[in-house]
Every structure is written in C-alpha cells, then in structure tokens.
C-alpha cells in the first residue's frame, strides 16, 4: 500500500522525487493492531516500514514519549506492556483491580474482540430500548463472501435515541468512526445528531462496492445506510478513540496489541472495566517491529535537506530489515500422513520388464490367486448383460490356458504385486490407510498408457469385436486381483487378533492423534460458524426469537470447548498431539483449538468408528 501510494503521488505530481515531492508527516504506533491483509488487493499484511520506499522517503524518525490521553501511570504502563506483549506482575495485578462492575451511563461503550459479539450486544441493547424498532434491509448483489465483509449491515435495526456510528466518510468533518444518536427515522433517511461536531445530519442510503482490480468489475454491491449500532464496538473499530467510560470483553482476543489498544481507549481507570482477561490472550508482535524501533538509523530533524532528494531507483533496493512474511510459516519436514502416492509416482515407476514375467507353464500365481476362479467370477458378473457374449469368449481363452492371455494375466498380476509391495509392509497386516493408498495407486495404474496399450494388444489379438467390452473384462480382472491382494494382506494376522487389536486402547501415532485433534477443531469451528450465521440471520426478526436463542446457546457451548493455542500449550496433557495441530495451522494459529476433554471425546468417537469396522466389510 505504502509503495503504491508513493508511486501514485509521483505519477500524479509528474515529479520524480519521493511522493512526487509532497512533504509528509506520518504518525503511528506499530505496537497497536497490525495491518489487515487484503488478498484481493495483494496486501499481505506487511507493515509500512517494510515497504521498499519507506526508508528512503521517510528518513527521520521521532519517538513521541508524552502520553496525553491518560494520567494514571499504572494504566499507561499496562497499555504499553499489553501492546508489546510483555506483561509484568504489576500489570496483571492492575488489570485485576479493574474487573469490578462500573456504573453504566449513556457514555459507556462496550468493546469486543469479534464482530459477532459486538453485533449481538448491539442487538440486545436496541431491543431493550423503549420505542418502535425500524429495520432497514440492504439491497445486495454479488458474492456472499464480500457482502459479508461490508461494514454496513444486511439488516440495520434502529430506534429513536439509539447510538450509531458512521462507517464511511461523508465530508471533511463527517468521517468514518464518528458516533451520534438517532433523532428521526423515515423510510428514506435517518437523522443523526453527531455530538462531536454538534450537527444533525440527514443520512441517506449509499452504495458500497467491492471492486476487483484485476477483472475490473464489481464483486459485490450493497445499498444501505452507512451506519452501524454503536453501543458496542469491535476493538478494531475503536482505534483512535478516547472513551470516558468503557467495558472491555477480552474473550477471543488473539491478535497482538489487541487488548492494549482496547485499554488504550480509556481516559482513566475509574470508568474502565476489563472482563474475561487472561495473560495467555496477550501475544507478541513480530520481531520486525522491535528491530524497527531499535534501529539506530535515525538522522536528526535539524537537517531536512535529505527530504528534498530526488527519486533514485536504487534506493528502492535498500532492504535494511529482513522482511516479515506472514505467509512464511515454518513447516516441519515430516512427511504428511495425508499425502497419498500420486498417479505420477506410479506412472514414473518402471513397469516390470518382460524378462521378469514368469515362464508360461504351471500356474505362476500364488495359491491365493486362482485365475480360473477369477475369470469365472468376471464371467458371472456379466451374465445376462449385453456384454455377456464377448466376455465369455475372452474367458474361454483363459480357461483353455491360451498363451497370450496368460501372459497378459501374469503381467497384470506382477503390476498389482508391484503396487502392493510399495504400499504394504512385509508380513504385516494391512491398515486401512495402506489399503486406501493401494487402491488409489491401482486406479492410477489403470489410467496409464501402458495398461491401456497392453489391453488393446490383447483384445486385438483375440479379435474382440467390441473393444469396450474387452476393457470391462480387463478392468474387472484387475479389480478382482486388487481385492484378493487386499484380502491376503488383511488376513496375515488372524481375525481374532484383528478384533483384539481393535478393542485395545488406541495405539495411534502422535501424528495420527494430532490429526484427530485438528479435525475435531475444524468440526467445532465449522459448527460454530454455522450457528453464528444462524444467529445473525435471526437478529431484529421477532418471528425468529427462539431460533436466535437456540443458535446462541450452541455458539456459547462451542466457544466453551475451544481454547487458545497458548492456553493449550501451557495446560494440555496431550502435548504430543500439538506438533501436528501447530503444523496444520497458520502463523496466527487462527484455527480452532479444542480442549483436552473435547479431544478425548473425538478420540473416543474415532475409536468407536474403528471398532464398528469388521473384517467382512473391509471390501
Ligand atoms: N500536545 C497535546 N496536548 C494536549 N492534549 C493532547 C496533545 N496531544 C494529544 N492530546 C490529546 O490526547 C488524546 C490522544 O491523542 P491522539 O488521538 O492524537 O493520540 P494517538 O497517539 O493517536 O492515540 P491512539 O493511537 O492510541 O489512538 C486526545 O484527546 C488529544 O486531544
């Protein structure tokens, strides 16, 4: 973003100095909330000091050290430590002193870590107010994913006197984030009194568009009043505000700096209440920020002549700091147990050469493969079908021990054996996972040109009138070979011991158990998302009160069985499973982690599924 703005300014001003020669003063605190990535615009969430042109165009760096918003030193120290993710005992102690209920007033603002909680709070507050509720449904068009991300809501429920916030810039002083109270509600407009600018403004519906810069078309459009309820806000939305009375709910806060930003809104600790705080919710920013602040490369502000420097392209190559790449997750080199041997692997394997083929003569097949039985089985399968005659004719050749078809059968048997050897451990009973891989590889083999050509050669040799029928014959043989191989591999251990092993406590590997934990977390996250959507679709609808209550309870329950990643690492007794869950999560650990008790539930469920499998239904 920073580089783009720099380049646009240069182009607009037709001046090759940085930012087209414009003078800039940038103010910011990188220890607050990190940038929000936007895939559509190629924004990876990097900090602006990681932009190529930052150091050349903004050489002077001044630390502002005087705090004006707050006077209470305990509060100031706590905010600083919370933002940096370095908590002292004093700060934890201070937060414990601000957990008591405060007296609510009209001024009190509730802050939440998630949109879901803020929306619910606003719904509850407006429903509690006296007066008629007026709902405004948005007119939507386009992709649901982008529609969900518009600030203006799909249903806006308002009452006279309710607290609202502008979510767009209407003029120089009517800006995004300005709060006010509703004075009048009509079909076409909403009148709002904005106390800060002391203005009563008539607000009309506005068009919101999410534009795709690549295809140059709108992905989603929404027509709605540019307002949201503002009894409760997300911490993100509260950035920049000063609040005289604030209640902060820390539940689900997981972004570095988030709780610090929330406490940083309070002007004093008297009218500050912090709920659901746990030190484990506080995480650190990337090291790149510390590097930025520690940097000694800070020319004084006495000589600003360097700021007049012309744009020199090589300056853009200067890279003083190792870039922080949010996508650069360190993955372990473990082999992913979910990976299955892809078709390419098999296709690239050399097929058994003809020299390896057993001599034609006495049966070259082991005792568990009886070609006559296989071929008769295939013949029976196609009895009373249009393919019956062709398949019978081919079968006859096998039954007459004809050389060509026996060679073909040997070749196919060797191929199946070859795949079997690469999937099953020698002399050990086949596991379900190995069987799945084996079947996948056989399927891949059936798609190879070599297999196709060998069938064609065979069928042309016998003048099979319908090549397609012949293909059915060949493939059926292959499937029967596959089945017999699986049966053989599964029978290496006696059935009794299979049952015994299945009823024994699980002996799965750490990776296997980690996978169960990860899948469990995924299921919980999906369910939670589903019920959150149900809740949101029932807001402000008096016909859906029970649906709302029901779904709300489910979300609450699902929230209770999830834990933050740091809590999990600190308290889990199944730490062996965490390596896998960590590997499967992205750098922010934003996937849902389940508690140990919930994990045990999923493990038992998995065990029950395994136990319900029997030898007879393996195929
Ligand atoms: N020099 C000053 N003298 C008196 N008051 C000041 C001064 N600078 C800022 N303030 C007051 O301090 C409060 C916070 O200022 P401001 O919003 O600029 O800080 P900020 O660093 O942007 O805060 P944040 O990033 O945490 O939102 C405001 O109420 C502002 O009026």
């Amino acid at each position: 973003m920073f580089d783009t703005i720099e380049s646009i300014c240069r182009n607009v001003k037709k001046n090759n100095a940085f930012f087209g020669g414009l003078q800039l003063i940038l103010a910011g605190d990188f220890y607050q909330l990190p940038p929000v990535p936007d895939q559509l615009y190629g924004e990876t969430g990097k900090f602006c000091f990681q932009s190529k042109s930052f150091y050349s165009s903004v050489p002077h760096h001044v630390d502002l050290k005087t705090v004006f918003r707050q006077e209470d030193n305990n509060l100031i120290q706590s905010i600083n430590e919370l933002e940096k993710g370095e908590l002292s005992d004093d700060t934890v102690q201070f937060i414990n002193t601000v957990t008591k209920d405060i007296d609510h007033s009209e001024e009190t603002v509730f802050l939440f870590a998630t949109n879901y909680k803020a929306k619910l709070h606003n719904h509850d507050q407006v429903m509690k107010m006296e007066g008629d509720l007026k709902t405004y449904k948005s007119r939507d068009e386009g992709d649901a994913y982008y529609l969900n991300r518009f600030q203006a809501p799909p249903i806006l429920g308002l009452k006279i006197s309710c607290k609202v916030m502008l979510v767009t810039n209407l003029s120089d002083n009517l800006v995004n984030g300005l709060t006010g109270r509703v004075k009048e509600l009509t079909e076409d407009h909403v009148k709002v009194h904005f106390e800060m600018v002391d203005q009563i403004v008539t607000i009309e519906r506005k068009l919101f568009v999410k534009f795709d810069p690549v295809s140059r078309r709108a992905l989603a459009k929404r027509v709605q009043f540019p307002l949201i309820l503002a009894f409760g806000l997300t911490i993100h939305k509260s950035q920049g505000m000063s609040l005289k009375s604030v209640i902060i709910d820390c539940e689900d806060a997981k972004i570095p700096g988030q709780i610090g930003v929330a406490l940083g809104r309070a002007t004093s600790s008297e009218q500050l209440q912090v709920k659901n705080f746990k030190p484990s919710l506080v995480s650190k920013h990337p090291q790149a920020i510390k590097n930025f602040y520690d940097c000694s490369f800070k020319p004084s502000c006495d000589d600003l002549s360097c700021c007049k420097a012309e744009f020199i392209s090589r300056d853009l190559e200067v890279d003083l700091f190792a870039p922080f790449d949010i996508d650069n997750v360190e993955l372990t080199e473990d082999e992913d147990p979910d990976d299955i041997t892809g078709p390419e692997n098999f296709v690239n394997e050399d097929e058994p050469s003809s020299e390896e083929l057993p001599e034609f003569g006495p049966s070259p097949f082991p005792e568990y493969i009886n070609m006559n039985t296989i071929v008769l089985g295939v013949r029976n399968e196609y009895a009373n079908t249009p393919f019956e005659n062709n398949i019978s004719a081919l079968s006859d050749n096998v039954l007459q021990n004809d050389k060509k078809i026996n060679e073909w059968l040997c070749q196919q048997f060797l191929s199946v054996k070859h795949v079997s050897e690469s999937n099953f451990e020698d002399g050990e009973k086949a596991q379900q996972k190995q069987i799945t891989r084996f079947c996948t590889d056989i399927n891949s083999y059936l798609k190879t040109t070599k297999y196709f050509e060998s069938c064609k050669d065979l069928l042309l040799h016998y003048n099979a009138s319908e090549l397609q029928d012949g293909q059915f014959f060949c493939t059926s043989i292959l499937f029967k070979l596959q089945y017999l191989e699986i049966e053989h591999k599964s029978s290496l251990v006696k059935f009794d011991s299979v049952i015994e092993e299945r009823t024994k406590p699980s002996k799965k590997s750490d990776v296997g158990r980690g996978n169960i934990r990860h899948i469990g977390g995924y299921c919980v996250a999906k369910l939670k998302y589903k019920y959150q959507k149900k809740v949101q679709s029932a807001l402000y609808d008096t016909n859906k009160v029970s649906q709302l209550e029901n779904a709300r309870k489910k979300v609450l329950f699902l929230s209770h069985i999830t834990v933050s990643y740091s809590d999990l690492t600190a308290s889990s007794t199944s730490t062996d499973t965490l390596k896998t869950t960590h590997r499967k999560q992205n750098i922010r650990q934003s996937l849902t982690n389940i508690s140990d008790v919930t994990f045990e539930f999923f493990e038992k469920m998995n065990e029950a599924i395994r136990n319900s499998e029997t030898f007879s239904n393996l195929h």
Side-chain angles (χ1 to χ4, degrees):
M1 171 73 88
F2 188 85
D3 284 331
T4 308
I5 296 172
E6 192 280 320
S7 146
I8 289 171
C9 290
R10 225 173 329 119
N11 278 306
V12 169
K13 300 288 283 180
K14 298 197 175 18
N15 178 340
N16 231 7
F18 283 107
F19 284 88
L22 287 175
Q23 286 201 331
L24 292 183
I25 298 176
L26 310 177
D29 178 358
F30 294 114
Y31 279 118
Q32 296 197 10
L33 283 163
V36 179
D38 186 340
Q39 299 288 337
L40 197 60
Y41 286 84
E43 281 178 32
T44 55
K46 283 186 180 177
F47 295 91
C48 71
F49 61 77
Q50 293 169 316
S51 309
K52 283 181 180 163
S53 55
F54 186 86
Y55 284 94
S56 309
S57 53
V58 192
H60 309 281
H61 171 165
V62 179
D63 288 338
L64 300 177
K65 296 210 163 62
T66 315
V67 175
F68 287 94
R69 188 179 281 132
Q70 299 92 1
E71 286 173 355
D72 179 339
N73 283 333
N74 288 328
L75 178 57
I76 293 170
Q77 183 189 330
S78 301
I79 294 165
N80 285 335
E81 290 184 11
L82 286 164
E83 287 185 349
K84 291 200 169 99
E86 294 164 356
L87 287 192
S88 67
D89 291 346
D90 288 350
T91 291
V92 176
Q93 227 172 335
F94 168 77
I95 296 174
N96 287 334
T97 65
V98 289
T99 52
K100 289 188 286 294
D101 285 353
I102 55 166
D103 295 331
H104 294 198
S105 70
E106 295 255 299
E107 261 182 338
T108 309
V109 175
F110 288 74
L111 297 184
F112 300 94
T114 62
N115 262 313
Y116 173 77
K117 292 199 90 175
K119 279 184 195 169
L120 262 188
H121 176 81
N122 283 323
H123 168 267
D124 294 350
Q125 294 301 311
V126 85
M127 295 310 257
K128 265 196 244 165
M129 286 176 75
E130 304 264 314
D132 294 337
L133 177 79
K134 185 132 183 77
T135 53
Y136 298 96
K137 217 165 176 286
S138 63
R139 285 203 304 276
D140 292 346
E141 206 180 287
D143 194 316
Y145 175 86
Y146 294 107
L147 286 169
N148 271 337
R149 276 153 185 78
F150 279 131
Q151 287 283 339
I155 298 176
L156 179 65
L158 300 175
K159 285 183 182 174
I160 299 290
S161 291
C162 71
K163 232 177 177 178
V164 287
M165 179 189 262
L166 251 186
V167 291
T168 192
N169 294 327
L170 294 180
S171 67
D172 281 353
N173 61 347
L174 297 174
V175 292
N176 189 351
L178 200 64
T179 53
R181 295 232 171 226
V182 170
K183 290 281 159 201
E184 188 179 300
L185 293 167
T186 73
E187 208 43 58
D188 304 322
H189 69 252
V190 177
K191 268 192 187 162
V192 180
H193 178 217
F194 293 105
E195 295 91 345
M196 269 266 281
V197 290
D198 197 21
Q199 235 180 297
I200 293 180
V201 183
T202 302
I203 296 174
E204 295 182 345
R205 286 182 178 84
K206 203 181 149 347
L207 172 68
F208 293 84
V209 182
K210 184 71 184 178
F211 185 73
D212 179 358
V214 179
S215 64
R216 293 178 169 274
R217 64 184 180 93
L219 296 170
K221 290 181 191 170
R222 167 166 293 167
V223 177
Q224 178 61 290
F225 291 101
L227 294 169
I228 56 170
L229 283 167
F231 298 104
L233 301 172
T234 59
I235 297 170
H236 274 86
K237 205 83 197 116
S238 75
Q239 288 179 94
M241 290 181 160
S242 297
L243 302 171
K244 283 192 186 139
S245 177
V246 57
I247 298 178
I248 300 162
D249 183 351
C250 300
E251 194 179 12
D252 294 331
K254 58 179 172 231
I255 301 172
Q258 198 171 14
I259 299 179
V261 168
L263 265 78
R265 302 309 98 208
T267 49
S268 74
S269 46
E270 282 78 50
Q271 276 299 303
L272 164 68
Q273 185 187 348
V274 179
K275 291 159 76 173
N276 298 321
F277 175 80
K278 282 186 293 186
S280 61
L281 293 172
V282 180
S283 54
K284 275 194 176 168
H285 286 279
Q287 178 67 21
I289 295 187
K290 191 164 185 314
N291 294 348
F292 170 77
Y293 284 115
D294 288 349
C295 177
S296 55
F297 176 65
K298 297 174 195 165
S300 87
C301 288
D302 298 342
D303 178 10
L304 296 175
S305 57
C306 61
C307 292
K308 299 282 180 197
E310 288 293 298
F311 170 76
I312 308 165
S313 61
R314 83 181 140 74
D315 285 349
L316 292 180
E317 305 302 324
V318 175
D319 189 8
L320 291 170
F321 296 88
F324 165 68
D325 186 352
I326 202 109
D327 298 323
N328 191 10
V329 189
E330 268 194 30
L331 292 176
T332 56
E333 291 303 314
D334 303 0
E335 195 195 328
D336 192 329
D338 291 342
D339 284 348
I340 49 166
T341 316
E344 317 74 14
N345 296 356
F346 188 80
V347 175
N348 292 337
E349 298 268 0
D350 284 338
E351 290 205 7
S353 66
S354 52
E355 291 87 56
E356 289 173 70
L357 289 177
E359 295 258 312
F360 180 61
S363 172
F365 307 111
E367 79 284 357
Y368 64 90
I369 303 276
N370 183 322
M371 273 306 167
N372 282 358
T373 319
I374 291 179
V375 171
L376 282 174
V378 173
R379 188 186 211 150
N380 286 341
E381 264 175 33
Y382 287 93
N384 302 320
T385 70
F387 318 107
E388 185 173 13
N389 290 342
N390 283 327
I391 286 185
S392 289
L394 282 165
S395 308
D396 286 344
N397 294 310
V398 182
L399 300 174
Q400 286 156 20
N401 225 3
D402 191 81
K403 189 173 178 200
K404 181 78 180 172
I405 199 158
N406 270 289
E407 272 178 6
W408 183 85
L409 291 169
C410 284
Q411 195 182 12
Q412 301 319 314
F413 169 69
L414 284 176
S415 295
V416 171
K417 203 73 199 145
H418 180 74
V419 180
S420 164
E421 275 161 17
S422 63
N423 279 298
F424 298 118
E425 296 291 330
D426 216 15
E428 283 188 16
K429 185 183 74 72
Q431 302 291 316
Q432 186 61 51
K433 199 183 277 176
Q434 295 167 324
I435 295 173
T436 310
R437 281 186 196 170
F438 171 73
C439 294
T440 309
D441 287 354
I442 291 288
N443 279 337
S444 305
Y445 169 63
L446 293 178
K447 288 179 194 135
T448 60
T449 326
K450 274 190 182 177
Y451 170 72
F452 179 76
E453 290 298 330
S454 76
C455 296
K456 202 168 140 191
D457 180 47
L458 176 83
L459 300 173
L460 289 175
H461 176 84
Y462 289 113
N463 293 321
S465 54
E466 287 293 339
L467 277 186
Q468 201 193 6
D469 298 4
Q471 279 289 342
F472 287 158
F473 172 82
C474 296
T475 314
S476 297
I477 299 274
L478 252 292
F479 282 144
K480 291 239 175 299
L481 285 172
Q482 172 187 306
Y483 166 70
L484 288 172
E485 189 64 17
I486 292 173
E487 197 175 53
H488 172 64
K489 291 294 178 190
S490 308
S491 66
L492 285 178
V493 176
K494 278 195 202 126
F495 190 62
D496 283 354
S497 58
V498 173
I499 294 287
E500 194 188 314
E501 192 183 297
R502 281 174 185 279
T503 50
K504 265 193 268 173
S506 170
K507 277 199 286 178
K508 275 182 292 300
S509 65
D510 294 350
V511 174
R513 296 176 70 239
N515 275 338
I516 294 175
R517 181 162 214 143
H518 170 74
I519 291 165
Y522 182 77
C523 295
V524 169
K526 285 283 259 191
L527 264 186
K528 196 169 148 188
Y529 181 69
K530 175 181 153 185
Y531 287 116
Q532 280 186 345
K533 287 201 81 164
K534 266 203 159 161
V535 168
Q536 291 179 45
S537 68
L539 293 177
Y540 308 107
D541 190 338
T542 43
N543 298 321
K544 292 185 179 169
V545 176
S546 64
Q547 174 189 319
L548 176 71
E549 283 313 306
N550 224 319
R552 220 172 147 155
K553 278 185 200 144
K554 286 179 178 154
V555 174
L556 206 62
F557 166 73
L558 291 165
S559 301
H560 281 147
I561 63 174
T562 60
V563 274
S564 73
Y565 186 76
S566 47
D567 275 351
L568 197 60
T569 37
S571 66
S572 174
T573 53
S574 302
T575 43
D576 47 335
T577 57
L578 302 186
K579 201 174 158 199
T580 304
T581 50
H582 181 71
R583 187 159 59 88
K584 285 179 176 279
Q585 288 172 332
N586 64 23
I587 203 161
R588 294 183 182 183
Q589 278 104 34
S590 62
L591 288 184
T592 302
N593 287 296
I594 47 177
S595 63
D596 273 8
V597 178
T598 316
F599 166 54
E600 277 165 32
F601 163 79
F602 277 105
E603 237 194 339
K604 281 190 183 139
M605 194 167 82
N606 179 63
E607 202 64 45
I609 293 168
R610 269 164 47 95
N611 288 341
S612 70
E613 288 169 1
T614 62
F615 178 77
S616 60
N617 69 15
L618 264 179
H619 59 280

